[in-house]
Structures are given as structure tokens and as C-alpha cells.
Amino acid sequence: MSQKPVHELDAVVIRFAGDSGDGMQVTGDRFTSESAHFGNDIRTLPDFPAEIRAPAGTLAGVSSFQLHFAHLPVFTPGDATDVLVAMNPAALKANLSGLKPHGVIIANTGQFGDRNLEKAGYATNPLADGSLSAFQVFPVDISRLTETAVEGTGLNTRAVDRCKNFFALGLCLWMYSRPLEHTLAWIDSKFGKTPDVAEANRRALKAGYFYGETAEAFPVRYSVRAAALPAGLYRNISGNKALAYGFITAAHKLGVELFLGSYPITPASDILHELSAHKRFGVITMQAEDELAAVTAAIGASFGGALALTTTSGPGIALKSEAIALATMTELPLVVVDVQRGGPSTGLPTKTEQADLLQALFGRNSESPVPVIAASTPADCFEAAFEASRVAMQYMTPVMLLSDGYVANGSEPWRVPDVAAIPEVKLDYVPQGSVFKPYARDPHTLARPRVRIGTPGLEHRIGGLEKEHVTGNISYDPKNHERMVRLRHAKIAGIARELPKTELAGGDSGDVLLLGWGSTRGAIHGAGIRLREMGRKVSTTHLRWLNPLPSDLAEVFARFHMVVVPELNLGQLAFVLRGKTLRDVRSICKVQGQPFREQEIIDKVLELMADINVSPFVVDVLEGARALTHASLA
Amino acid sequence: MNTPMTANSDALPALTKKDFDAGVDVRWCPGCGDYAILAAVQKTMPSLGVPREKIVFVSGIGCSSRFPYYMNTYGFHTIHGRAPAIATGLKSYRPDLHVWVVTGDGDGLSIGGNHLMHAMRRNVDIKIMLFNNKIYGLTKGQYSPTSDVGTRTKSTPVGSIDTPFKPLSLAIGAGATFVARVGDTDAKLLPLILQAAHAHKGTAFIEILQNCPVFNDGAFDAVMDKKAKGDRQLQLEHGKPMLFAGGTRGVAWVRGKLDVVDVGEGKAAMADILVHDAHDPDPTVAFALAQWEHPAKPVPMGILRAVERPTYDGALRAQLREATDKGPADLQALVTGNDTWMVA
């Protein structure tokens, strides 16, 4: 076999795109796993429609998976793609705008018939009409080649067709000099019960690989060297899975059992699925009749002593709000996970957004403060889950944990933690026989005492009515009410004592402080590095806790000429920060159901730095709306 | 029916009604049927042989839902309609506790209808007392989902127009395994029902006809009236023929329908009278009886249905046991997974 030349690259962004039934998520997952095994740094972006099987061949049905794999550290799934694998015309059309100039298109010509071209809105075949001359196009009849490869396995036409993603995968693995072994082993374990399907997928995979090796169309192959990650044992992990592991670990270290009450909702359901599979760790999961029952069942379990958890997305939070306030009033631990998605209402169920921040902070009746923590990357979900659980139990309070579709479904390499090294968290319980007042306060945390229900002599009643300080009896006394409102507030505000000093990437002072929260960390951090490389005095920082905020924030802000907050909403954190710090905070807003690209942040920061007198928030929003209107009219 | 006394009762110090009194001022309106129910519950609790600390009363919102505050047990006064869901979570996590739910016709059948229904479907081992006064009391007198058609209230000045729920039919339809009805002032039957509910393994649903002297006074007078109740109530006892009106009338199949017949010479024979079988797996008769209302029919009182079915909390625990029996859970192995690589 002739050896084709191999070109070294630092980083590659590849996007697999096809019909939602084409298996693009599997292809992406496998390529990710191979790249991770190889030692690359990786970030992924699965992007799929809400419909399970949207009409085949249409733009609405396009499902894609983007992977950034690199020799250098990467923080995002990549701004623009180097390689687009398009399994049909709709996949090409939907993803072409993200492709770099001279980028590679591998197109499955077998699906570029008249009917599919028409469905995608192409008047002529783009592979033939010269419209793709700015790119390197590799037309491959993946459909037919797959058919040939799996001939004789006895599969029907439909099943044969479903093997073509493995052909595409095999071709890409060859192109980036990746071995086949892991994927072959994976096929064996995944399709072990259907040997004919396993055999067909194996053949398709190898056929794709060998096609790359032999076909003259592909003159070179590429290689991306391993990244210099900190030493240790690694695995790939998605945000939802990391959350589940974080909660199981937290329950273990807290010495209690985990109870999850949940109702299926995209993109949070995977946490329910994952936790339901781990009963041997004492995890109790209840798929409730609705969001209200999911959270209240968790509150019932919390009253019984559990680490109580409920998981949902924005619309579910809206339904749970009253119950969360009950947990605030009765001062019972509860962790509420909001995997945010585009809204309002049903919105964009499978797309990402950060627009539930104000709902998390304020979306309950009256003065009902709730600590809010945000996970910033898939692997970070583990720690965020642990922290949320610890604070909920130690402070006897509901805690809101914000994730989003991007963090939940995205994945990254994770250095596997040494579970034994994670310290246990000791919880104090009121001992039997002691004088007990349900609403007495721990002098440090202001938490009320924790009672094991079932302890003789400690029988007491709690509820949603206002409590008398210390005794916990129902009280309508005006002064008592204000005292309790302030106590509940002070308890949550006091968590700030635990927060570390705000850490900055870049200088301790400068022109611009770029501050973010949640899933924007990668893009902000990456943009900060590049801005500094351009000689700009830009530092970046990221908030883990949104309530309470770190107490040194105003002081940190004072060291910068300008504070800029990129958010996937219309400036919700910026709104809060202005109120809390009295600093003018500028917004970079994006609400397209997609994460930030580094370049978008860089461009906007440079623009703001050039014209620092522009009124920030209002102009951003209006300009954004105007620009979109103009674009749609054009 | 199981006996209410449990085996471990000898080991317990004898508790009295007073031990279950929380010792706080009870704030229901004078004459409210809730007082009688509270007294009956406090009086019955010592006979259950359960230590006080193992009992939890959970309620939602409404007049009836203040109940837990007056019981010297563990208690949770929650939010409107959610008591069955909270009780489900509590019982699932803590099967050692005896969980009682107190709800009303508004709380349980309107805002919390879904949770009530699903608790009964799941057969969670909780005991639900639904105080039915056919009115909203705490919000000052609006009609409720059990109010008769034509009920005039501030929100229905020319009469309500929607058909009321029949709580027992709803319970049987939802698959409840224990379904009973009793009047608030029936000091004889109420303790028996409470004891039987406690002894039942699974969701027990008890409709308690409760008088609201302020907003719906006398709603059940016709049925509860001491002199008339013999004619107007059908007192059900398992294994006994369904007779009322001093044995002169009974329940029989008439042309394929359950109906009331006169008993005696030249009338229906005793052999035609149905014998009440609370344990009948077929819910047909229980459902038919649950439809009966005054004045067209006598109102069935007592235990309509008491059947066995695996409980939700029991099955949940069994799955957990099965999983944990397979050996110690290795948290490190879970977190590590089986697809790893080393970076040197």
C-alpha cells in the first residue's frame, strides 16, 4: 500500500452533518473518543433538532456534531470548521456558512439527487455548478460504497443505509491518521446482540478507511499531535453525566442517600437517565407525574433526610417556583438543576441559552433568596454538583444549579478525580434528648438545626407559613416577619464568606475586564488570550456563584477601565452587576441558540474599546435587533 | 380485615389521646367538623401501636391542612395541592415512617388533583384523609369541585354550572387499593376506618364528609341526621349483606344494574341481596356504589374497597436492594468509567 504524505496540524475543527436519523451524533462521539484516546485536547458541540425524526432531507432535520481537537489547549468547539462532512444537500446548506475559506467538504454524492436538492432548496447541484469553488470539495458516493461494502451481510436496504455514517467515520479516521481499534471494539460491545449489524458496521468503517488510503482523490492525510495535558488518567465526559456523578459523590461524602424527583424535559433528561442506572449507590429516582410533583417529592425526601435533587429546564423551573420558595421558608436542603435552553415558553428545546439567570435569582414570590451556582464546562459540572449539594445541606437551603444545553451535551477530557481524596462533609444532627427549637440558628451559617425525622422527643411541625424566630411557631407578628426575611437573606449572603478571591487571567488591572458565568467560559477565556496576544490589556474572570456574588467584585472592577460581560441573553448578569456594584457594565449579547465564538467576543471588545462612550446595554440590544432586521430584509 | 394492633405495641409505653395533642390553640371556626375529626384521630392514634416519632402528618393548603399543627407528631404543612407528592417522596425515602396526608376537596381534587390521582395509581403506602365540605373555606366560600350543580357562592352568584367530582369514584378509577367514606361526627365508624387504613398496605383513601358551619352549613345534614341516617346511609361491612332501613331494603342486581330493592315476603329474597366483598379484585360493584348519592340512593359508608397490590415504596426499595445485593458499589469505578487513557 502506498504511503500518502502526512501533514502536521495544530488544531482541526470538524463537523459531521446529516439527517437526524443518519447517526451523526454517534459518528461525532466516536471521532471524539478516538481523538481523546490519542491525547488531543477536545471540545465538542452536538447540535440537533428538537424533532426526533424531522422529514428526511430537509433543513429542519439536519443534525450535526462539531469537534475541535488540538495539539494546543482549546476552550471552545471552534469558531469555524476546517472540515464539513455533509451526508446530504440540506446538511451542506445548513452548515456551509460555518466553513473556513478553502475548508474541506466531504459530500455524500449518493444523496445529492434531484429530490434532495429540491428539499434543501438548491436549484442546481452545488457540487457541480461551481458555487463551492472557494472550498476543497471531495465528492464521495458514501451511500453506494457502503452498500457495496456490506453486501452479503443479509441486512435490508434500510439497515444498510444506516451503516453509512461508519463509512464516513472510517474515512475521517484515515484522514487524521487515527487507528480503528477502539471503534472496532466499541462496535463489538454496542452491537454484540446483533452480529449482522456489527459486521456491517465494521465493514463500512474499514471500507471508509481503506477508501481514503487508496482513492486518488485524497492526496494527503493529516495528523494532530497529542496535547500537553496535565498528567493523569483521563476520560471523556459530558456535562449531564458529570452532574450525575457529582451528585452521587456528594451524597456519599455527606453520608446520606440521593433522591431525585424529575420529569422528562430536554435537555435535562439525561441526568434522570444516568442516575436511574445507579441504584446500587442507593440512588432513588422518581419520574414524577409533573414538574410540581418532581420538586415536591424531592422536598418530602429532604424532610426525611435525603440529599434531595430535582432536575429540569427553564419551563420546569417556572412550574417549580412555588415549591422552591417552600424549601426556602421551611429551610430544607434541595438542589434544583436548570439545564437552560432557548426560550421563552417551549422556545428552542435543543438549543443553548443563558436566559434563566434572573429567573433563578428572583423567580419566586416575595423575598426568597436562593444561592445560585453555575457550571462552566462539562467536566466542571462534577464540582458544581458537589458544591451545590454541600451548600444546600450545610446551610439548609434550596440551591439552584445552572447548566445549559451546550454544557449538558458537550464533552471534554476530564482528569478522573481520586474519589477517596475528596473530603467527607460532616453534618450535625440534633441529638435525642436535647432541648430543640426548630428555628434556632447556627451562629456561623445561620442554618436552622437538622433533625432526623423519627427521633423520639424531637417531634415538630414545619410549613409554608411565617415562622417565629427560634420557636418555629406560626407567627403573624410584623416585626418577627421582617426579622425572618432579613435572617433568610443574611444566611444566603453569608455564603460569600466561603468564596475564594476572584482570580483573573491576565493582568491584575487594565483596560478591560471580561467577566462571564456558566458555559461561556471557554469562549471568553480563549478570546482573552488572543486579545492579550494582540497587545490589549484585557483580563478575564469567571463567576461560579451568581448568588451570593464574591465580596471583592467591586474592588476588582475598580482596577479596570471597563467591565464587559458576554452573555447568551440580553444582559442579565450585567443588569445584576450594575445594581450590586454601581459600576457601568457593558454587555455582549447573543441569543441565537448557539454558543459564542471567540471571534465574536474579540470583535465586540475591540469595538467597545474603540468607542468607550457608547451607552452600553440599550445600544447593544437595539443594534442587535436592527442588524438582524436589516439582515433579514437584505 | 387486619387487626389494628401491631406486634410491637407491648414494647411501647401506653400513649393516650393527650400525647398526640400538640398543645397549641386550635383555630378552626366554632362548630367546624374538623374538631370532631381531630379528636377522633388523636383518640385513635394510641391504638395503632406506632411510636409518635414515627408518624408524620403532611398537608397542603386549606382549612383542613392546618391539621398537622395540632398533632404532636412530626408534621409538614406544605403548599396547595402538593401534599400527596411530598408524602410520596417522604415515604419513598423513609419507608419506616407512617405518613398521613390531610387534604380537602379544593386542595386534593382541584389544584392537587393530579398528585392525588398518581399517588393512588402508584399505591404509595400513605393514608389520605380528604375532608370534603363541598366548599372553599379558607378563601371564604367559593364553590369547589365537589359542590352540587347550582351552588350559589360569591364566585358563582347565579349557581355553579359544572358537574361535581364523586371522590370515591375518582379514587377507584385511579386504582386506589383502599377506599372508604365516613362522616365527621361518626365517632364510632371513624376510628375503625382509621385503624383499617393504617393496617392496609398501600394508599388508603378516606373521604370524610365534613360540615363547614360558616360557608356550607348542613351540606350533609340529610345524610348524617341521626334519625334519618338509617334510611339514607348504606353501612358497608365486609362479608355482610348490603342492607339498610332496618334491614327492609337492600342492594341487588336488577336487570343488569345495581339497584335498591325492598326485602321481605313477596319482595326480594335475602339470597338476592349482595354480600359486600371489599376484597373483590373486580372494582365494578365498588364503582357502582361510589356513584350513589342522596336522595336517589342511600349513601354508602364504610370501606368500599380494600385490595392488595404491591406498593410503590415497597417495589422501589426492592429494586434498590436487588441492586445493592450484587456487591459493594465502587464509586471510583463509576467515576472512572471504562474508556480512559493515560497522559504521562
Coordinates of all heavy atoms in Angstrom, one line a residue, chain A residues 14-28 45-66 83-96 105-108 111-112 116 120 142-143 161 164-165 168 351:
Chain A
I14 N -13.9 19.8 13.0 CA -14.6 19.0 12.0 C -16.0 19.0 12.4 O -16.4 19.0 13.6 CB -14.0 17.6 12.0 CG1 -14.6 16.8 10.8 CG2 -14.1 16.8 13.3 CD1 -13.8 15.5 10.5
R15 N -16.9 19.0 11.4 CA -18.3 18.9 11.7 C -19.0 17.8 10.8 O -18.8 17.8 9.6 CB -19.0 20.3 11.4 CG -20.5 20.3 11.7 CD -21.1 21.7 11.4 NE -21.0 22.5 12.6 CZ -22.0 22.9 13.4 NH1 -23.2 22.6 13.0 NH2 -21.8 23.7 14.4
F16 N -19.6 16.9 11.5 CA -20.4 15.9 10.8 C -21.8 16.3 10.8 O -22.4 16.6 11.8 CB -20.3 14.6 11.6 CG -18.9 14.0 11.8 CD1 -18.1 14.3 12.9 CD2 -18.3 13.3 10.8 CE1 -16.8 13.9 13.1 CE2 -17.0 12.8 10.9 CZ -16.3 13.1 12.1
A17 N -22.4 16.3 9.6 CA -23.8 16.8 9.4 C -24.6 15.9 8.5 O -24.1 15.5 7.5 CB -23.8 18.2 8.9
G18 N -25.8 15.6 8.9 CA -26.6 14.8 8.1 C -28.1 14.8 8.6 O -28.4 15.7 9.4
D19 N -28.9 13.9 8.1 CA -30.3 13.9 8.6 C -30.3 13.4 10.1 O -29.3 12.8 10.5 CB -31.0 12.8 7.8 CG -32.0 13.5 6.8 OD1 -32.4 14.6 7.1 OD2 -32.3 12.8 5.8
S20 N -31.3 13.8 10.8 CA -31.3 13.4 12.2 C -31.3 11.9 12.4 O -31.0 11.4 13.5 CB -32.5 14.1 13.0 OG -33.7 14.0 12.2
G21 N -31.6 11.1 11.4 CA -31.6 9.7 11.5 C -30.3 9.1 11.0 O -30.1 7.9 10.9
D22 N -29.3 9.9 10.6 CA -28.1 9.5 9.9 C -27.0 9.0 10.9 O -26.0 8.5 10.4 CB -27.5 10.6 9.0 CG -28.2 10.6 7.6 OD1 -28.9 9.6 7.3 OD2 -28.0 11.5 6.9
G23 N -27.2 9.2 12.1 CA -26.2 8.7 13.1 C -25.1 9.7 13.2 O -23.9 9.3 13.6
M24 N -25.3 11.0 13.0 CA -24.2 11.9 13.1 C -23.7 12.1 14.5 O -22.5 12.4 14.7 CB -24.6 13.3 12.6 CG -24.9 13.3 11.1 SD -23.4 12.9 10.1 CE -23.6 11.2 9.7
Q25 N -24.6 12.0 15.5 CA -24.1 12.1 16.9 C -23.2 10.9 17.3 O -22.2 11.1 18.0 CB -25.3 12.2 17.9 CG -26.3 13.3 17.6 CD -25.6 14.7 17.6 OE1 -24.8 15.0 18.4 NE2 -26.0 15.5 16.6
V26 N -23.5 9.8 16.8 CA -22.7 8.6 17.1 C -21.3 8.8 16.4 O -20.3 8.5 17.0 CB -23.4 7.3 16.5 CG1 -22.4 6.1 16.6 CG2 -24.6 7.0 17.3
T27 N -21.3 9.2 15.1 CA -20.1 9.4 14.4 C -19.2 10.4 15.2 O -18.0 10.2 15.4 CB -20.4 10.0 13.0 OG1 -21.4 9.1 12.4 CG2 -19.2 10.0 12.1
G28 N -19.8 11.5 15.6 CA -19.1 12.5 16.3 C -18.6 12.0 17.6 O -17.4 12.3 18.0
L45 N -19.5 20.1 20.2 CA -20.8 20.8 20.2 C -21.8 19.9 19.4 O -21.8 20.0 18.2 CB -20.6 22.1 19.5 CG -21.9 22.9 19.3 CD1 -22.6 23.3 20.6 CD2 -21.7 24.2 18.4
P46 N -22.6 19.1 20.1 CA -23.6 18.4 19.4 C -24.7 19.4 19.1 O -25.0 20.2 20.0 CB -24.1 17.3 20.4 CG -23.2 17.4 21.6 CD -22.5 18.8 21.5
D47 N -25.3 19.4 18.0 CA -26.4 20.3 17.6 C -27.4 19.6 16.8 O -27.2 19.1 15.7 CB -25.7 21.4 16.8 CG -26.7 22.6 16.6 OD1 -27.8 22.6 17.1 OD2 -26.4 23.5 15.8
F48 N -28.6 19.4 17.5 CA -29.6 18.6 16.8 C -31.0 19.2 16.9 O -31.2 20.0 17.8 CB -29.6 17.1 17.3 CG -29.5 17.1 18.8 CD1 -30.6 17.1 19.6 CD2 -28.2 17.0 19.5 CE1 -30.5 17.1 21.0 CE2 -28.1 16.9 20.8 CZ -29.3 17.0 21.6
P49 N -31.9 18.8 16.0 CA -33.2 19.4 16.1 C -34.1 18.8 17.2 O -33.7 17.7 17.7 CB -33.9 19.0 14.7 CG -33.1 17.8 14.2 CD -31.7 17.9 14.9
A50 N -35.1 19.5 17.6 CA -36.0 19.0 18.6 C -36.8 17.8 18.2 O -37.2 17.0 19.0 CB -36.9 20.1 19.1
E51 N -37.1 17.8 16.9 CA -37.9 16.7 16.4 C -37.0 15.4 16.3 O -35.9 15.5 16.0 CB -38.4 17.0 14.9 CG -39.3 18.1 14.8 CD -38.6 19.5 14.9 OE1 -37.4 19.6 14.8 OE2 -39.3 20.5 15.2
I52 N -37.6 14.3 16.7 CA -36.8 13.0 16.7 C -36.5 12.6 15.3 O -35.3 12.2 15.1 CB -37.7 11.9 17.5 CG1 -38.1 12.3 18.9 CG2 -36.9 10.6 17.5 CD1 -36.9 12.7 19.8
R53 N -37.4 12.7 14.4 CA -37.1 12.4 13.0 C -37.9 13.4 12.2 O -39.0 13.2 11.7 CB -37.7 11.0 12.6 CG -36.9 9.8 13.3 CD -35.6 9.5 12.5 NE -35.0 8.3 13.1 CZ -34.3 8.2 14.2 NH1 -34.0 9.3 14.8 NH2 -33.8 7.1 14.6
A54 N -37.2 14.5 12.0 CA -37.8 15.6 11.1 C -37.8 15.0 9.7 O -37.0 14.1 9.4 CB -37.0 16.8 11.2
P55 N -38.7 15.5 8.8 CA -38.7 15.0 7.5 C -37.3 14.8 6.9 O -36.5 15.8 6.9 CB -39.5 16.0 6.7 CG -40.4 16.6 7.8 CD -39.6 16.6 9.0
A56 N -37.0 13.7 6.3 CA -35.7 13.4 5.8 C -35.3 14.4 4.7 O -36.2 14.8 3.9 CB -35.6 12.0 5.2
G57 N -34.1 14.8 4.7 CA -33.6 15.6 3.6 C -33.9 17.1 3.7 O -33.4 17.9 2.9
T58 N -34.6 17.5 4.7 CA -35.0 18.9 4.9 C -33.9 19.6 5.8 O -33.2 19.0 6.6 CB -36.4 19.1 5.5 OG1 -36.3 18.5 6.8 CG2 -37.4 18.4 4.7
L59 N -33.9 20.9 5.7 CA -33.0 21.7 6.5 C -33.4 21.6 8.0 O -32.5 21.5 8.9 CB -33.1 23.2 6.1 CG -32.5 23.6 4.8 CD1 -32.9 25.0 4.4 CD2 -31.0 23.5 4.8
A60 N -34.7 21.4 8.3 CA -35.2 21.3 9.6 C -34.7 20.0 10.3 O -34.5 19.9 11.5 CB -36.7 21.3 9.7
G61 N -34.4 19.0 9.4 CA -34.0 17.7 10.0 C -32.4 17.5 10.2 O -32.0 16.5 10.5
V62 N -31.7 18.6 9.9 CA -30.2 18.4 9.9 C -29.7 18.3 11.4 O -30.1 19.2 12.2 CB -29.5 19.6 9.2 CG1 -28.0 19.5 9.4 CG2 -29.9 19.6 7.7
S63 N -28.9 17.3 11.6 CA -28.3 17.1 12.9 C -26.8 17.2 12.7 O -26.3 16.6 11.7 CB -28.7 15.7 13.4 OG -28.0 15.3 14.5
S64 N -26.1 17.8 13.6 CA -24.7 17.9 13.4 C -23.9 17.7 14.7 O -24.5 17.8 15.8 CB -24.3 19.2 12.7 OG -24.4 20.3 13.7
F65 N -22.6 17.5 14.6 CA -21.8 17.3 15.7 C -20.4 17.9 15.3 O -19.8 17.5 14.4 CB -21.6 15.8 16.0 CG -20.8 15.5 17.3 CD1 -21.5 15.1 18.4 CD2 -19.4 15.7 17.4 CE1 -20.8 14.8 19.6 CE2 -18.8 15.4 18.5 CZ -19.5 15.0 19.7
Q66 N -20.0 18.9 16.1 CA -18.8 19.6 15.8 C -17.7 19.3 16.9 O -18.1 19.2 18.1 CB -19.0 21.1 15.8 CG -17.7 21.9 15.4 CD -18.0 23.3 15.0 OE1 -18.9 23.6 14.3 NE2 -17.3 24.3 15.6
V83 N -13.3 21.2 8.3 CA -13.9 20.1 7.5 C -15.3 19.9 7.8 O -15.8 19.9 8.9 CB -13.2 18.7 7.9 CG1 -13.7 17.6 7.1 CG2 -11.7 18.9 7.8
L84 N -16.1 19.8 6.7 CA -17.5 19.6 6.9 C -17.9 18.3 6.1 O -17.6 18.1 4.9 CB -18.3 20.7 6.2 CG -19.8 20.5 6.1 CD1 -20.5 20.3 7.4 CD2 -20.5 21.6 5.3
V85 N -18.4 17.3 6.9 CA -18.8 16.1 6.3 C -20.3 16.2 6.1 O -21.1 16.3 7.1 CB -18.5 14.9 7.2 CG1 -19.1 13.6 6.6 CG2 -17.0 14.7 7.4
A86 N -20.8 16.3 4.8 CA -22.2 16.6 4.6 C -22.8 15.4 4.0 O -22.5 15.0 2.8 CB -22.4 17.8 3.6
M87 N -23.7 14.7 4.7 CA -24.3 13.5 4.2 C -25.5 13.7 3.2 O -25.9 12.8 2.6 CB -24.8 12.7 5.4 CG -23.7 12.3 6.4 SD -22.4 11.3 5.7 CE -23.2 9.7 5.7
N88 N -25.9 15.0 3.1 CA -26.9 15.3 2.1 C -26.9 16.8 1.8 O -26.2 17.5 2.5 CB -28.3 14.8 2.5 CG -28.8 15.5 3.8 OD1 -28.3 16.6 4.1 ND2 -29.9 15.0 4.4
P89 N -27.7 17.2 0.8 CA -27.6 18.7 0.4 C -28.1 19.6 1.5 O -27.5 20.6 1.7 CB -28.6 18.7 -0.8 CG -28.6 17.4 -1.4 CD -28.5 16.4 -0.2
A90 N -29.1 19.2 2.3 CA -29.5 20.0 3.4 C -28.4 20.2 4.5 O -28.2 21.3 5.0 CB -30.8 19.4 4.1
A91 N -27.7 19.2 4.7 CA -26.6 19.3 5.7 C -25.5 20.2 5.2 O -24.9 21.0 6.0 CB -26.0 17.9 5.9
L92 N -25.3 20.2 3.9 CA -24.3 21.1 3.3 C -24.8 22.6 3.4 O -24.1 23.4 3.9 CB -24.1 20.8 1.8 CG -23.2 21.7 1.0 CD1 -21.8 21.6 1.5 CD2 -23.3 21.5 -0.5
K93 N -26.1 22.8 3.1 CA -26.6 24.1 3.1 C -26.7 24.7 4.5 O -26.3 25.9 4.7 CB -28.0 24.1 2.5 CG -28.6 25.5 2.3 CD -29.7 25.5 1.3 CE -29.9 26.9 0.7 NZ -31.0 26.9 -0.3
A94 N -27.1 23.9 5.4 CA -27.2 24.4 6.8 C -25.9 24.7 7.5 O -25.9 25.5 8.4 CB -28.0 23.3 7.6
N95 N -24.8 24.1 7.0 CA -23.5 24.3 7.7 C -22.4 25.0 6.9 O -21.3 25.1 7.4 CB -23.1 22.9 8.2 CG -24.0 22.3 9.2 OD1 -24.0 22.8 10.4 ND2 -24.7 21.3 8.8
L96 N -22.8 25.3 5.7 CA -21.7 25.9 4.8 C -21.2 27.2 5.3 O -20.0 27.5 5.2 CB -22.3 26.1 3.4 CG -21.2 26.4 2.3 CD1 -20.2 25.2 2.2 CD2 -21.9 26.6 0.9
I105 N -14.8 20.0 2.2 CA -16.2 19.4 2.2 C -16.1 18.0 1.7 O -15.6 17.7 0.6 CB -17.1 20.2 1.3 CG1 -17.3 21.7 1.7 CG2 -18.5 19.5 1.2 CD1 -18.0 22.6 0.7
I106 N -16.6 17.1 2.5 CA -16.7 15.7 2.1 C -18.2 15.5 1.9 O -19.0 15.5 2.9 CB -16.1 14.7 3.1 CG1 -14.6 14.9 3.2 CG2 -16.4 13.2 2.6 CD1 -13.9 14.1 4.3
A107 N -18.7 15.3 0.7 CA -20.1 15.3 0.4 C -20.5 13.9 -0.1 O -19.8 13.3 -0.9 CB -20.5 16.3 -0.6
N108 N -21.6 13.4 0.5 CA -22.1 12.1 0.1 C -22.9 12.3 -1.2 O -24.1 12.6 -1.1 CB -22.9 11.5 1.2 CG -23.6 10.2 0.7 OD1 -23.2 9.6 -0.2 ND2 -24.6 9.8 1.5
Q111 N -26.6 11.1 -2.0 CA -27.8 11.7 -1.5 C -28.0 13.0 -2.2 O -28.9 13.8 -1.8 CB -27.7 12.0 0.0 CG -27.8 10.7 0.8 CD -29.1 10.0 0.8 OE1 -30.2 10.7 0.8 NE2 -29.2 8.7 0.7
F112 N -27.2 13.3 -3.3 CA -27.4 14.6 -4.0 C -28.3 14.5 -5.2 O -28.0 15.1 -6.3 CB -26.0 15.2 -4.3 CG -25.5 16.0 -3.1 CD1 -25.1 15.4 -2.0 CD2 -25.4 17.4 -3.2 CE1 -24.6 16.1 -0.9 CE2 -24.9 18.2 -2.1 CZ -24.5 17.5 -1.0
N116 N -33.6 15.5 -3.2 CA -32.9 16.0 -2.0 C -32.4 17.4 -2.3 O -32.4 18.3 -1.4 CB -31.7 15.1 -1.6 CG -32.2 14.0 -0.7 OD1 -33.3 14.0 -0.2 ND2 -31.4 13.0 -0.5
A120 N -33.7 20.7 -0.1 CA -32.7 21.6 0.6 C -32.8 23.0 -0.1 O -32.2 24.0 0.4 CB -31.3 21.1 0.5
I142 N -20.8 7.9 -0.7 CA -20.8 7.1 0.5 C -21.9 6.1 0.5 O -21.7 5.0 1.0 CB -20.9 8.1 1.7 CG1 -19.6 9.0 1.8 CG2 -21.0 7.3 3.0 CD1 -19.6 10.0 2.9
S143 N -23.1 6.5 0.0 CA -24.2 5.6 0.0 C -23.9 4.3 -0.7 O -24.1 3.2 -0.2 CB -25.5 6.2 -0.5 OG -25.8 7.3 0.2
D161 N -28.4 1.3 4.8 CA -28.3 2.7 4.7 C -27.8 3.3 6.0 O -27.1 4.3 6.0 CB -29.7 3.3 4.3 CG -29.6 4.8 4.0 OD1 -28.8 5.1 3.1 OD2 -30.3 5.6 4.7
K164 N -23.9 4.0 6.8 CA -23.1 4.9 6.0 C -22.3 5.9 6.9 O -21.3 6.4 6.5 CB -23.9 5.6 4.9 CG -25.0 6.5 5.3 CD -25.7 7.0 4.0 CE -26.7 8.1 4.4 NZ -27.9 7.5 5.0
N165 N -22.9 6.1 8.1 CA -22.1 7.0 9.0 C -20.8 6.4 9.4 O -19.8 7.1 9.6 CB -22.9 7.4 10.2 CG -23.4 6.2 11.1 OD1 -23.6 5.1 10.5 ND2 -23.5 6.4 12.4
A168 N -18.3 7.1 6.7 CA -17.8 8.5 6.8 C -16.8 8.6 8.0 O -15.7 9.2 7.8 CB -19.0 9.4 7.1
K351 N -31.6 23.8 21.9 CA -30.5 24.8 21.7 C -30.2 25.5 23.0 O -31.0 25.5 24.0 CB -31.0 25.9 20.7 CG -31.5 25.3 19.4 CD -30.5 24.6 18.6 CE -31.1 24.0 17.3 NZ -30.2 23.0 16.6

